[in-house]
Amino acid sequence: MPHVSLRVSEEEKRWMEGYAKVQGVNLSDAVKDAFFEKLEDEYDLRMIREHEAEKAKGNMKYYTHDEIMREFRLR
């Protein structure tokens, strides 16, 4: 498995270790989890911005619950 290393100050290391301890995981998993959570957040924000831009252009069509139920013959 590939290996990644980071250079951090002693204080940053203590903060990271404290966070890992609170999360109940080792430092490697804590850093990896935090990275991927940040990546997901960035993706979500981009999707929201794109959605809002399309909405502002009037390119969005909304359906009621009843319309969806009829469309998919669920009622």
Side-chain angles (χ1 to χ4, degrees):
M1 179 178 298
H3 178 85
V4 176
S5 62
L6 302 170
R7 293 187 190 276
V8 297
S9 69
E10 283 298 322
E11 183 179 9
E12 290 168 332
K13 183 178 181 229
R14 282 192 303 276
W15 276 97
M16 293 165 75
E17 288 171 335
Y19 176 77
K21 185 176 180 180
V22 167
Q23 296 300 314
V25 295
N26 63 42
L27 181 56
S28 179
D29 287 339
V31 170
K32 187 168 44 174
D33 291 347
F35 171 80
F36 284 109
E37 186 173 316
K38 174 69 173 167
L39 191 64
E40 288 175 22
D41 289 347
E42 291 291 328
Y43 177 80
D44 291 345
L45 284 172
R46 185 173 56 186
M47 293 295 102
I48 289 167
R49 287 184 186 118
E50 288 177 14
H51 171 83
E52 292 298 323
E54 291 300 311
K55 184 178 173 183
K57 292 179 195 173
N59 293 339
M60 303 297 292
K61 180 163 170 94
Y62 296 93
Y63 298 91
T64 66
H65 180 262
D66 289 335
E67 289 170 328
I68 296 294
M69 296 300 280
R70 281 194 302 275
E71 176 72 24
F72 292 100
R73 297 188 179 121
L74 299 173
R75 266 196 203 167

